Amino acid sequence: LYAALPYKKQMEVFNGPLPNSRKVILSTNIAETSITIPGIRYVIDSGMVKMRTHDPITGIDTLKVNRISKAQALQRAGRAGRESEGFCYRTYTLNEYEALPKATVPEIKRCNLASVALQLLSLEIDYQRFDFIDMPPTEGVSSAVKQLHRLGAINNLQKPQLTDLGKKMSKFPLDPVYS
């Protein structure tokens, strides 16, 4: 089970097992929070997740395999036994679990912020003074503004104002590079 799997195939996880058999579902972290699959009794947690990460220096987004957080481990364990008794097997030690970070790094701290900056500018909100719940890294914001300038979406790096092109770009539900 994974997010890009066609809808019809995703729905097959809700079908019961064949008579005299067990059903095994291999899943990405889509099953961590997005859905509850009836009848899950056992979960095997690898302790790993592919996480989208943006490098502001290179401007490249990558999927990196990282250790999960304790919050994710608890969420995964909670998938087992929602309707009856269940158990979570972890493929890592208690010491490794104890070393996990308490929570997952928020996506705003690890993604490309060009879309965020473009939307804030289109709403005439000063992105430098905006009170984010989790403050994004300074280099990420700086990289985003430079990208918008290179794309012609803003006219100035010091006091950015949207150009006509930038206003059009802000209306597309896409990353600014694609709009």
Side-chain angles (χ1 to χ4, degrees):
L1 178 63
Y2 53 97
L5 190 66
Y7 177 77
K8 199 169 188 176
K9 283 289 196 187
Q10 284 185 17
M11 293 298 102
E12 288 179 12
V13 301
F14 297 107
N15 298 338
L18 297 172
N20 300 319
S21 68
R22 288 186 181 210
K23 185 173 183 178
V24 176
I25 301 168
L26 300 176
S27 179
T28 62
N29 53 325
I30 187 176
E32 226 172 79
T33 57
S34 303
I35 57 173
T36 296
I37 303 168
I40 298 294
R41 302 268 317 262
Y42 302 98
V43 168
I44 300 173
D45 178 9
S46 67
M48 305 300 279
V49 65
K50 277 189 178 178
M51 193 177 292
R52 188 176 83 162
T53 307
H54 179 75
D55 183 343
I57 295 168
T58 63
I60 297 173
D61 280 347
T62 57
L63 278 176
K64 287 186 177 178
V65 177
N66 292 320
R67 281 276 181 205
I68 61 172
S69 66
K70 286 181 183 172
Q72 285 175 295
L74 292 172
Q75 187 71 308
R76 289 177 178 191
R79 301 287 100 191
R82 294 182 69 81
E83 297 174 337
S84 61
E85 287 188 34
F87 192 78
C88 179
Y89 295 95
R90 293 190 169 131
T91 62
Y92 46 97
T93 66
L94 180 59
N95 287 340
E96 288 173 316
Y97 173 81
E98 294 298 333
L100 294 175
K102 184 178 178 182
T104 307
V105 175
E107 190 165 354
I108 197 154
K109 291 189 173 200
R110 53 184 171 80
C111 73
N112 182 353
L113 298 171
S115 291
V116 173
L118 182 64
Q119 289 305 309
L120 289 174
L121 287 168
S122 75
L123 296 169
E124 298 180 3
I125 296 172
D126 184 354
Y127 64 88
Q128 293 173 323
R129 300 191 200 294
F130 187 73
D131 189 20
F132 290 97
I133 292 172
D134 291 299
M135 190 56 77
T138 307
E139 61 274 6
V141 174
S142 173
S143 172
V145 172
K146 287 176 186 173
Q147 181 184 18
L148 291 175
H149 188 258
R150 283 191 306 271
L151 293 170
I154 59 173
N155 59 3
N156 183 318
L157 286 175
Q158 283 68 40
K159 290 192 82 172
Q161 297 288 319
L162 285 182
T163 62
D164 288 339
L165 176 62
K167 290 174 185 172
K168 289 178 186 176
M169 290 168 71
S170 71
K171 294 178 182 176
F172 282 92
L174 299 170
D175 188 279
V177 169
Y178 303 116
S179 61

mmCIF file of all heavy atoms in Angstrom, residues 155-174:
data_model
loop_
_atom_site.group_PDB
_atom_site.id
_atom_site.type_symbol
_atom_site.label_atom_id
_atom_site.label_comp_id
_atom_site.label_asym_id
_atom_site.label_seq_id
_atom_site.Cartn_x
_atom_site.Cartn_y
_atom_site.Cartn_z
ATOM 1 N N ASN A 155 10.535 41.371 -8.173
ATOM 2 C CA ASN A 155 11.360 42.372 -8.841
ATOM 3 C C ASN A 155 12.630 42.737 -8.085
ATOM 4 O O ASN A 155 13.502 43.384 -8.635
ATOM 5 C CB ASN A 155 10.530 43.636 -9.094
ATOM 6 C CG ASN A 155 9.989 44.221 -7.802
ATOM 7 O OD1 ASN A 155 10.268 43.734 -6.710
ATOM 8 N ND2 ASN A 155 9.185 45.266 -7.926
ATOM 9 N N ASN A 156 12.739 42.343 -6.831
ATOM 10 C CA ASN A 156 13.815 42.852 -6.000
ATOM 11 C C ASN A 156 14.078 41.868 -4.869
ATOM 12 O O ASN A 156 13.133 41.304 -4.321
ATOM 13 C CB ASN A 156 13.344 44.214 -5.458
ATOM 14 C CG ASN A 156 14.353 44.933 -4.633
ATOM 15 O OD1 ASN A 156 15.031 44.338 -3.806
ATOM 16 N ND2 ASN A 156 14.423 46.236 -4.844
ATOM 17 N N LEU A 157 15.325 41.674 -4.498
ATOM 18 C CA LEU A 157 15.637 40.744 -3.401
ATOM 19 C C LEU A 157 15.495 41.398 -2.026
ATOM 20 O O LEU A 157 15.178 40.726 -1.051
ATOM 21 C CB LEU A 157 17.058 40.193 -3.559
ATOM 22 C CG LEU A 157 17.257 39.165 -4.660
ATOM 23 C CD1 LEU A 157 18.729 38.798 -4.802
ATOM 24 C CD2 LEU A 157 16.443 37.914 -4.394
ATOM 25 N N GLN A 158 15.755 42.711 -1.930
ATOM 26 C CA GLN A 158 15.710 43.374 -0.626
ATOM 27 C C GLN A 158 14.264 43.648 -0.178
ATOM 28 O O GLN A 158 13.910 43.391 0.964
ATOM 29 C CB GLN A 158 16.492 44.702 -0.657
ATOM 30 C CG GLN A 158 17.999 44.509 -0.587
ATOM 31 C CD GLN A 158 18.576 43.853 -1.846
ATOM 32 O OE1 GLN A 158 18.153 44.165 -2.953
ATOM 33 N NE2 GLN A 158 19.500 42.939 -1.666
ATOM 34 N N LYS A 159 13.449 44.204 -1.048
ATOM 35 C CA LYS A 159 12.035 44.462 -0.751
ATOM 36 C C LYS A 159 11.214 43.848 -1.868
ATOM 37 O O LYS A 159 10.735 44.544 -2.761
ATOM 38 C CB LYS A 159 11.769 45.969 -0.648
ATOM 39 C CG LYS A 159 12.411 46.597 0.600
ATOM 40 C CD LYS A 159 11.892 47.981 0.823
ATOM 41 C CE LYS A 159 10.593 47.808 1.524
ATOM 42 N NZ LYS A 159 9.900 48.894 2.045
ATOM 43 N N PRO A 160 11.037 42.527 -1.830
ATOM 44 C CA PRO A 160 10.390 41.846 -2.952
ATOM 45 C C PRO A 160 8.929 42.246 -3.152
ATOM 46 O O PRO A 160 8.162 42.312 -2.199
ATOM 47 C CB PRO A 160 10.499 40.368 -2.599
ATOM 48 C CG PRO A 160 11.069 40.276 -1.249
ATOM 49 C CD PRO A 160 11.438 41.620 -0.782
ATOM 50 N N GLN A 161 8.604 42.523 -4.396
ATOM 51 C CA GLN A 161 7.229 42.779 -4.823
ATOM 52 C C GLN A 161 6.963 41.834 -5.983
ATOM 53 O O GLN A 161 7.833 41.605 -6.818
ATOM 54 C CB GLN A 161 7.072 44.230 -5.308
ATOM 55 C CG GLN A 161 7.328 45.269 -4.228
ATOM 56 C CD GLN A 161 6.208 45.313 -3.219
ATOM 57 O OE1 GLN A 161 5.034 45.226 -3.575
ATOM 58 N NE2 GLN A 161 6.553 45.422 -1.957
ATOM 59 N N LEU A 162 5.752 41.300 -6.037
ATOM 60 C CA LEU A 162 5.416 40.389 -7.129
ATOM 61 C C LEU A 162 5.345 41.148 -8.454
ATOM 62 O O LEU A 162 4.790 42.244 -8.524
ATOM 63 C CB LEU A 162 4.077 39.705 -6.877
ATOM 64 C CG LEU A 162 4.037 38.597 -5.833
ATOM 65 C CD1 LEU A 162 2.633 38.000 -5.768
ATOM 66 C CD2 LEU A 162 5.040 37.520 -6.109
ATOM 67 N N THR A 163 5.901 40.538 -9.473
ATOM 68 C CA THR A 163 5.758 41.048 -10.829
ATOM 69 C C THR A 163 4.419 40.539 -11.367
ATOM 70 O O THR A 163 3.743 39.735 -10.713
ATOM 71 C CB THR A 163 6.905 40.532 -11.720
ATOM 72 O OG1 THR A 163 6.823 39.107 -11.779
ATOM 73 C CG2 THR A 163 8.265 40.967 -11.190
ATOM 74 N N ASP A 164 4.060 40.979 -12.567
ATOM 75 C CA ASP A 164 2.826 40.457 -13.185
ATOM 76 C C ASP A 164 2.933 38.949 -13.354
ATOM 77 O O ASP A 164 1.970 38.221 -13.115
ATOM 78 C CB ASP A 164 2.572 41.134 -14.538
ATOM 79 C CG ASP A 164 2.129 42.582 -14.379
ATOM 80 O OD1 ASP A 164 1.647 42.931 -13.283
ATOM 81 O OD2 ASP A 164 2.274 43.352 -15.350
ATOM 82 N N LEU A 165 4.125 38.488 -13.746
ATOM 83 C CA LEU A 165 4.340 37.043 -13.883
ATOM 84 C C LEU A 165 4.181 36.349 -12.527
ATOM 85 O O LEU A 165 3.549 35.293 -12.430
ATOM 86 C CB LEU A 165 5.731 36.754 -14.460
ATOM 87 C CG LEU A 165 6.128 35.284 -14.579
ATOM 88 C CD1 LEU A 165 5.179 34.536 -15.524
ATOM 89 C CD2 LEU A 165 7.564 35.148 -15.053
ATOM 90 N N GLY A 166 4.724 36.940 -11.478
ATOM 91 C CA GLY A 166 4.606 36.373 -10.135
ATOM 92 C C GLY A 166 3.163 36.260 -9.673
ATOM 93 O O GLY A 166 2.770 35.287 -9.035
ATOM 94 N N LYS A 167 2.359 37.279 -10.020
ATOM 95 C CA LYS A 167 0.931 37.236 -9.662
ATOM 96 C C LYS A 167 0.233 36.079 -10.373
ATOM 97 O O LYS A 167 -0.596 35.385 -9.784
ATOM 98 C CB LYS A 167 0.258 38.564 -10.006
ATOM 99 C CG LYS A 167 0.700 39.695 -9.098
ATOM 100 C CD LYS A 167 0.146 41.030 -9.541
ATOM 101 C CE LYS A 167 0.720 42.148 -8.675
ATOM 102 N NZ LYS A 167 0.369 43.477 -9.163
ATOM 103 N N LYS A 168 0.590 35.874 -11.642
ATOM 104 C CA LYS A 168 0.021 34.747 -12.382
ATOM 105 C C LYS A 168 0.490 33.423 -11.777
ATOM 106 O O LYS A 168 -0.297 32.489 -11.618
ATOM 107 C CB LYS A 168 0.422 34.809 -13.858
ATOM 108 C CG LYS A 168 -0.252 35.912 -14.628
ATOM 109 C CD LYS A 168 0.231 35.958 -16.068
ATOM 110 C CE LYS A 168 -0.343 37.150 -16.804
ATOM 111 N NZ LYS A 168 0.200 37.256 -18.180
ATOM 112 N N MET A 169 1.777 33.349 -11.434
ATOM 113 C CA MET A 169 2.339 32.113 -10.859
ATOM 114 C C MET A 169 1.650 31.748 -9.546
ATOM 115 O O MET A 169 1.432 30.571 -9.254
ATOM 116 C CB MET A 169 3.846 32.276 -10.623
ATOM 117 C CG MET A 169 4.658 32.341 -11.897
ATOM 118 S SD MET A 169 6.365 32.866 -11.606
ATOM 119 C CE MET A 169 7.031 31.434 -10.794
ATOM 120 N N SER A 170 1.306 32.757 -8.751
ATOM 121 C CA SER A 170 0.713 32.494 -7.434
ATOM 122 C C SER A 170 -0.677 31.872 -7.533
ATOM 123 O O SER A 170 -1.180 31.310 -6.570
ATOM 124 C CB SER A 170 0.649 33.778 -6.612
ATOM 125 O OG SER A 170 -0.326 34.659 -7.134
ATOM 126 N N LYS A 171 -1.293 31.961 -8.706
ATOM 127 C CA LYS A 171 -2.635 31.405 -8.893
ATOM 128 C C LYS A 171 -2.610 29.925 -9.259
ATOM 129 O O LYS A 171 -3.638 29.262 -9.214
ATOM 130 C CB LYS A 171 -3.398 32.204 -9.948
ATOM 131 C CG LYS A 171 -3.679 33.614 -9.474
ATOM 132 C CD LYS A 171 -4.380 34.440 -10.516
ATOM 133 C CE LYS A 171 -4.568 35.850 -9.959
ATOM 134 N NZ LYS A 171 -5.145 36.747 -10.921
ATOM 135 N N PHE A 172 -1.423 29.430 -9.616
ATOM 136 C CA PHE A 172 -1.302 28.017 -9.967
ATOM 137 C C PHE A 172 -1.010 27.194 -8.713
ATOM 138 O O PHE A 172 -0.165 27.574 -7.914
ATOM 139 C CB PHE A 172 -0.156 27.794 -10.969
ATOM 140 C CG PHE A 172 -0.500 28.164 -12.370
ATOM 141 C CD1 PHE A 172 -0.232 29.428 -12.857
ATOM 142 C CD2 PHE A 172 -1.091 27.230 -13.215
ATOM 143 C CE1 PHE A 172 -0.546 29.771 -14.154
ATOM 144 C CE2 PHE A 172 -1.408 27.567 -14.508
ATOM 145 C CZ PHE A 172 -1.136 28.846 -14.982
ATOM 146 N N PRO A 173 -1.663 26.049 -8.547
ATOM 147 C CA PRO A 173 -1.386 25.189 -7.382
ATOM 148 C C PRO A 173 -0.167 24.306 -7.617
ATOM 149 O O PRO A 173 -0.210 23.096 -7.443
ATOM 150 C CB PRO A 173 -2.674 24.370 -7.257
ATOM 151 C CG PRO A 173 -3.142 24.239 -8.669
ATOM 152 C CD PRO A 173 -2.765 25.540 -9.344
ATOM 153 N N LEU A 174 0.919 24.937 -8.074
ATOM 154 C CA LEU A 174 2.135 24.205 -8.423
ATOM 155 C C LEU A 174 3.337 24.864 -7.783
ATOM 156 O O LEU A 174 3.289 26.038 -7.406
ATOM 157 C CB LEU A 174 2.338 24.215 -9.950
ATOM 158 C CG LEU A 174 1.280 23.573 -10.827
ATOM 159 C CD1 LEU A 174 1.557 23.914 -12.288
ATOM 160 C CD2 LEU A 174 1.295 22.074 -10.625
#
